[in-house]
Amino acid sequence: MADLNHKILDGLSEKQQTAVTHPLKPLLIVAGPGSGKTRVMSHRIPWIVNNFNVNPYEILAVTFTNKAAKELMDRTRVFLPNTSNAVVKTFHGFASYFLRIEGHFDGLDRAFSIYDDTDQLRVIKNIFEELDLNVKKNNPKVVISEISKSKNLDITPSLYSKKANSYFEEIVSRVYLRYNEILSNSNSCDFDDLLLKTKNILLDNIDVRDKWSNKYKQVIIDEFQDTNPLQFQISNLLTNNEKSISVVGDPDQSIYSWRHAVPTNILEFKKSYKDCLVVNLDESYRSTQPILEAADSIISNNSNRFKRKLWTKNKDGNLIKYNSYSDEEEEAVSVASQLSKLTETNDSANDCAIMYRVNAQSRVFEVALNSLGLKYRLIGGVRFYDRKEIKDILAYCKILINPNDDSAFERIINCPPRGIGLRTVNKISLEKNITNKSYISFIEDCMNNENEFLPKRSLDAIREFMNLYKKLITQLSIQEPHELINTIISITNYDDYLKNDEDGVERLENINELKYSAEEFSASSDSDNSEALIEFIENSSLNSNVDSINEDEESITLITLHQAKGLEYKNVFIVGMEEGLLPHSRSMESEEELEEERRLCYVGITRAKENLFLSSSNRRRFQGIYDNAIQSRFLDEIPSKNLIKKSKYKKYDESWKKTFEKKQNQSNFKDTEIVEVDFSLGDKVTHTHFGTGKLISYRVLANDIELAIRFNSPYGMKKILKEKAPITISSPEETKDLEDYYGI
């Protein structure tokens, strides 16, 4: 025991040891970037097992990604191999695990399905059609976002309906009610439901709450600054009478308010657990002093934060390099060129990352890297489990374990094509909704009663599908998941279906990868075949983009700043550091949102271990039109002693520009500063038809000036010729603010 304790504490700083050895009492660890928080958590678990008479399975550790969960377990096993019995899951993973056991208290069968973003969108669009709602006037994705927000605020459809006081809210109210009905009838949950139902069951059932709070003698929550109100409530409800809970977080890295995260949860934790010990880990083991000073200097401009300063023993280090380019294409070529030199020397491509604010920025860098033959991995493209062929096969699996999953049914009923068109599906949908039954249940009843509710041709196709479905059902218990997937492909002729696709070979390779993944999963599972399939589908549903990073393959990482959280690289390029991008234009009118943008910049900077490169463009293209850009205010917040600035560059060979789209948009461009015009960017524009708007950008043509104007809803962005259009231009009464040029 003493030997193991010595091993656990060896190499830890005094503050880290304090956190690791704290008794089973409330503990708040405020951990800066690179301060060893994962190390502290992975040492605390074996310490608790070795010193406090706690079994590994009596510890619940919650992380935000499967990757982080795996890393935590791998580190923990170094000290105690049997700590693999500790429950380490994501919040949604734990909620799913909990609901498989206790979901019946909320009307869920243990074989319930989890609807991802694609499933949600399909259901919502169907509801729009059912309710005769105009998709163009009411964006389904915006409606989904509003429903998600309501669930996270614990606002039920009935409560939402009562507070609705606008046309939009009235629409959401109707859709929300029907959406929940469909989920309930389909024995399904969306991601928000996983948390909401878990919270409700724990809150409403004392016996269940006692059972689970007594089950865990220690609850550990990672990235606590990113928890939302539901997650905080669940954490509290799982805490035993001894209040044995440890949370780890950094309020300076709270960047997910759009996911309903509440950075003040750390402050609330101190209020809820007044006797908690606070340990501030402020020594960074990742970054050099110049990088840390830059990060600290930027984040110190936020007022709503814990006052602290990161430090490191690594006093030496390269200064940060800042480059200013003429446009985003020159920026991309230069960054690619620098990366080529880095990877030609001693640096691995895996040590390099390009980080940006929005996904749309990746395109020019992909082109530039390709032109130099540099391999890259794009984080944020189409995820493996989001690919059509993968979702098709998994939908077949879902309908086998959960016949009430109507979303899965709609996906596969005519995939591969079997003569069952949308009109037929809609007719079945209308009929089955009257009976409040699932597709499968309704069709089975009709077949048994010889109810010919469809034309003979359609009915024959439906019968063929049901025969196929019954054949697959017989294999559910006798085949392992990978074997069942193979049977699905064979019996449906899905492989022949893909052969007619131009990307068929690649899609078949993806399916083979799915089979391999299922086989690996089966090998590590002790469950019977049906249960293993449930677990495999659940695992597939909960996988994230960052979880899919393959670090064995040598390639440069292209990633958004949001996705980069928790990662680190020797060489980091943060690009597009301009007003309107970083900070994003949507944050300009809100101090809270601007502070979150600053935290996002802070996160990006602190991903760098040795070398940090920052860049901006003097002009940037929006919807094919160039506009002047202003360097980010965050650059001005970096001490000049830490920064090497360059703004004059030799022009690169521009032959590469042929590979970029819409080059014709540049052909008539003239530098705006040498053109005499009688208006300014940001001016108010009044059009006789489109109403009022704001001048976003312009370009000079041979005989006229083309204006890009963002008009008020519903017209949006328009390009018009100044001399021919019925417009008046006037200076705005207030100081101009940047518009939301770029979007996400």
Side-chain angles (χ1 to χ4, degrees):
M1 183 175 185
D3 288 344
L4 181 57
N5 281 349
H6 178 76
K7 185 180 177 182
I8 293 171
L9 299 179
D10 186 44
L12 297 180
S13 70
E14 185 178 341
K15 288 184 176 180
Q16 289 175 332
Q17 289 186 14
T18 300
V20 166
T21 60
H22 186 64
L24 301 179
K25 299 290 184 182
L27 172 65
L28 169 60
I29 304 170
V30 182
S35 62
K37 72 174 179 68
T38 305
R39 189 181 188 193
V40 168
M41 292 168 62
S42 64
H43 287 234
R44 180 157 172 74
I45 291 173
W47 181 272
I48 289 171
V49 172
N50 200 44
N51 293 274
F52 300 136
N53 192 32
V54 175
N55 289 310
Y57 59 79
E58 294 177 309
I59 298 173
L60 170 65
V62 183
T63 66
F64 270 77
T65 66
N66 291 314
K67 186 175 187 289
K70 184 179 182 302
E71 182 183 0
L72 179 59
M73 288 311 305
D74 287 346
R75 292 196 189 191
T76 303
R77 288 193 193 100
V78 172
F79 304 105
L80 288 175
N82 69 335
T83 50
S84 59
N85 294 325
V87 182
V88 183
K89 294 182 177 291
T90 64
F91 261 109
H92 290 98
F94 171 78
S96 179
Y97 164 66
F98 174 87
L99 292 174
R100 298 288 177 201
I101 300 169
E102 310 290 359
H104 58 92
F105 284 101
D106 204 322
L108 280 180
D109 181 271
R110 65 170 284 96
F112 69 85
S113 300
I114 300 174
Y115 280 17
D116 62 12
D117 296 346
T118 307
D119 298 323
Q120 277 185 290
L121 189 59
R122 176 185 286 107
V123 172
I124 295 295
K125 284 182 175 178
N126 287 345
I127 294 172
F128 269 48
E129 193 168 317
E130 181 185 321
L131 300 179
D132 197 25
L133 298 175
N134 192 323
V135 175
K136 292 182 179 179
K137 290 184 178 180
N138 307 283
N139 189 330
K141 290 185 177 179
V142 176
V143 173
I144 289 172
S145 178
E146 181 71 5
I147 291 172
S148 174
K149 178 184 175 183
S150 299
K151 287 188 177 184
N152 278 274
L153 295 174
D154 208 0
I155 299 172
T156 63
S158 59
L159 284 174
Y160 191 94
S161 179
K162 289 177 182 177
K163 79 173 187 69
N165 57 11
S166 68
Y167 172 75
F168 172 73
E169 290 179 349
E170 200 62 45
I171 294 295
V172 173
S173 171
R174 294 168 62 196
V175 175
Y176 187 8
L177 179 63
R178 181 64 183 135
Y179 175 64
N180 264 23
E181 287 176 353
I182 291 172
L183 286 176
S184 179
N185 294 337
S186 301
N187 187 35
S188 302
C189 286
D190 59 26
F191 285 104
D192 297 314
D193 284 330
L194 292 177
L195 300 177
L196 183 59
K197 289 180 181 293
T198 296
K199 188 270 294 184
N200 287 339
I201 292 172
L202 287 169
L203 194 62
D204 298 339
N205 298 272
I206 297 175
D207 291 343
V208 176
R209 183 165 70 249
D210 288 345
K211 169 186 168 183
W212 285 82
S213 63
N214 292 327
K215 181 183 178 74
Y216 302 118
K217 292 184 178 179
Q218 169 76 168
V219 177
I220 299 173
I221 311 292
D222 189 20
E223 303 288 5
F224 196 71
Q225 78 281 346
D226 292 330
T227 54
N228 61 31
L230 279 178
Q231 290 162 336
F232 191 16
Q233 281 183 279
I234 292 169
S235 304
N236 289 336
L237 291 166
L238 289 172
T239 304
N240 59 28
N241 293 329
E242 299 299 318
K243 299 188 183 302
S244 178
I245 183 170
S246 304
V247 302
V248 187
D250 181 6
D252 287 338
Q253 295 187 70
S254 180
I255 56 175
Y256 295 120
S257 64
W258 47 279
R259 291 184 186 171
H260 319 296
V262 183
T264 54
N265 274 353
I266 286 184
L267 296 173
E268 290 300 317
F269 183 86
K270 290 181 68 178
K271 293 178 184 176
S272 300
Y273 302 92
K274 292 182 172 56
D275 58 340
C276 76
L277 174 70
V278 180
V279 179
N280 184 17
L281 302 181
D282 52 4
E283 180 181 1
S284 175
Y285 302 92
R286 175 189 298 156
S287 305
T288 61
Q289 190 67 28
I291 293 171
L292 286 183
E293 286 181 1
D296 263 329
S297 183
I298 289 174
I299 201 65
S300 64
N301 288 278
N302 278 1
S303 56
N304 299 315
R305 62 184 293 265
F306 284 102
K307 303 300 182 196
R308 60 182 181 131
K309 188 177 180 70
L310 295 175
W311 64 280
T312 179
K313 293 176 182 175
N314 185 11
K315 300 296 183 183
D316 298 325
N318 296 324
L319 295 180
I320 300 164
K321 295 180 176 66
Y322 165 63
N323 295 330
S324 174
Y325 300 98
S326 63
D327 55 40
E328 71 263 40
E329 294 168 357
E330 187 183 56
E331 179 184 35
V333 172
S334 177
V335 169
S337 177
Q338 293 175 73
L339 283 164
S340 179
K341 291 176 183 176
L342 286 170
T343 54
E344 282 174 2
T345 55
N346 296 324
D347 288 345
S348 162
N350 286 341
D351 290 332
C352 304
I354 301 173
M355 299 181 185
Y356 36 81
R357 178 61 177 84
V358 299
N359 276 309
Q361 290 174 261
S362 73
R363 184 184 63 83
V364 289
F365 294 96
E366 289 185 71
V367 174
L369 292 170
N370 275 324
S371 70
L372 296 178
L374 296 174
K375 289 186 177 180
Y376 65 88
R377 62 173 73 89
L378 177 64
I379 311 302
V382 179
R383 296 184 297 172
F384 179 79
Y385 289 103
D386 284 343
R387 293 167 186 170
K388 179 186 181 305
E389 62 275 15
I390 302 302
K391 292 186 75 68
D392 287 346
I393 300 302
L394 288 178
Y396 273 100
C397 295
K398 287 180 178 181
I399 200 72
L400 294 177
I401 61 174
N402 180 13
N404 294 322
D405 191 338
D406 283 351
S407 179
F409 176 92
E410 290 176 351
R411 185 174 192 97
I412 64 170
I413 183 62
N414 200 43
C415 182
R418 50 177 65 92
I420 304 172
L422 184 60
R423 185 178 297 178
T424 299
V425 176
N426 287 340
K427 188 171 181 179
I428 301 173
S429 178
L430 288 171
E431 293 289 334
K432 67 99 177 172
N433 285 345
I434 296 172
T435 64
N436 210 28
K437 291 182 176 180
S438 68
Y439 281 108
I440 293 290
S441 178
F442 175 76
I443 292 170
E444 284 179 335
D445 283 353
C446 290
M447 297 297 179
N448 292 335
N449 298 325
E450 298 184 353
N451 179 7
E452 298 189 359
F453 61 100
L454 292 171
K456 186 177 182 307
R457 184 178 174 183
S458 299
L459 203 58
D460 288 344
I462 291 289
R463 283 198 180 95
E464 183 185 337
F465 171 80
M466 292 302 294
N467 289 334
L468 181 150
Y469 170 76
K470 289 173 183 177
K471 286 179 184 177
L472 290 173
I473 284 287
T474 63
Q475 303 302 306
L476 183 58
S477 61
I478 61 178
Q479 291 190 330
E480 294 184 2
H482 66 283
E483 295 171 327
L484 183 64
I485 290 172
N486 211 46
T487 300
I488 291 169
I489 294 165
S490 174
I491 204 169
T492 62
N493 295 316
Y494 196 90
D495 48 352
D496 290 335
Y497 163 62
L498 288 183
K499 287 175 184 176
N500 298 320
D501 191 293
E502 62 178 350
D503 299 320
V505 174
E506 183 182 344
R507 292 182 183 277
L508 280 170
E509 287 176 356
N510 290 334
I511 289 176
N512 287 330
E513 182 65 24
L514 179 69
K515 286 193 289 187
Y516 176 70
S517 174
E519 189 172 4
E520 267 196 331
F521 187 88
S522 297
S524 63
S525 175
D526 297 326
S527 305
D528 60 38
N529 292 332
S530 298
E531 189 67 23
L533 184 64
I534 291 173
E535 292 170 357
F536 176 68
I537 292 172
E538 179 182 306
N539 186 66
S540 304
S541 300
L542 297 173
N543 259 315
S544 72
N545 242 14
V546 176
D547 295 329
S548 67
I549 296 178
N550 181 3
E551 295 178 348
D552 296 329
E553 184 181 352
E554 284 279 316
S555 47
I556 295 160
T557 298
L558 273 64
I559 192 168
T560 68
L561 289 164
H562 280 102
Q563 293 167 323
K565 187 147 173 287
L567 305 177
E568 60 181 28
Y569 300 89
K570 181 180 177 181
N571 307 298
V572 169
F573 291 77
I574 301 179
V575 299
M577 292 200 66
E578 302 143 27
E579 294 287 296
L581 267 183
L582 185 66
H584 199 277
S585 55
R586 291 179 306 172
S587 69
M588 299 300 186
E589 297 179 2
S590 166
E591 186 63 28
E592 287 183 0
E593 291 183 15
L594 182 60
E595 290 204 351
E596 178 155 325
E597 290 290 304
R598 188 173 278 111
R599 291 195 295 269
L600 186 60
C601 183
Y602 174 83
V603 165
I605 288 172
T606 54
R607 298 312 93 194
K609 294 195 286 186
E610 295 184 18
N611 299 304
L612 177 62
F613 304 84
L614 309 176
S615 61
S616 67
S617 298
N618 293 326
R619 56 179 183 154
R620 187 168 293 273
R621 193 162 49 191
F622 172 69
Q623 294 189 356
I625 301 174
Y626 274 112
D627 190 19
N628 293 335
I630 305 169
Q631 75 172 36
S632 170
R633 69 190 72 190
F634 301 151
L635 289 166
D636 295 329
E637 295 173 357
I638 299 174
S640 57
K641 67 173 185 174
N642 299 120
L643 205 60
I644 299 175
K645 290 186 178 182
K646 293 184 179 180
S647 59
K648 294 181 180 179
Y649 280 85
K650 178 181 77 172
K651 285 287 184 180
Y652 291 87
D653 176 9
E654 295 191 353
S655 60
W656 61 271
K657 284 194 175 184
K658 295 177 182 177
T659 59
F660 286 90
E661 300 173 1
K662 300 180 181 178
K663 185 177 185 304
Q664 66 272 16
N665 287 323
Q666 307 171 45
S667 59
N668 295 318
F669 180 85
K670 296 181 181 180
D671 291 336
T672 56
E673 55 265 34
I674 65 172
V675 178
E676 293 184 9
V677 295
D678 56 355
F679 53 81
S680 303
L681 297 180
D683 280 357
K684 178 182 176 182
V685 181
T686 305
H687 190 282
T688 56
H689 177 68
F690 300 132
T692 59
K694 184 176 286 187
L695 179 62
I696 301 301
S697 63
Y698 63 90
R699 62 172 179 163
V700 179
L701 307 178
N703 300 311
D704 209 336
I705 299 176
E706 184 184 74
L707 306 176
I709 304 165
R710 171 165 287 149
F711 290 101
N712 296 331
S713 179
Y715 299 107
M717 184 67 72
K718 300 288 183 184
K719 295 179 189 176
I720 60 177
L721 297 177
K722 179 177 180 293
E723 298 303 321
K724 298 177 180 178
I727 61 171
T728 57
I729 302 177
S730 57
S731 299
E733 297 176 356
E734 301 175 357
T735 304
K736 305 181 194 70
D737 288 326
L738 288 174
E739 291 290 310
D740 184 2
Y741 291 175
Y742 305 103
I744 297 180

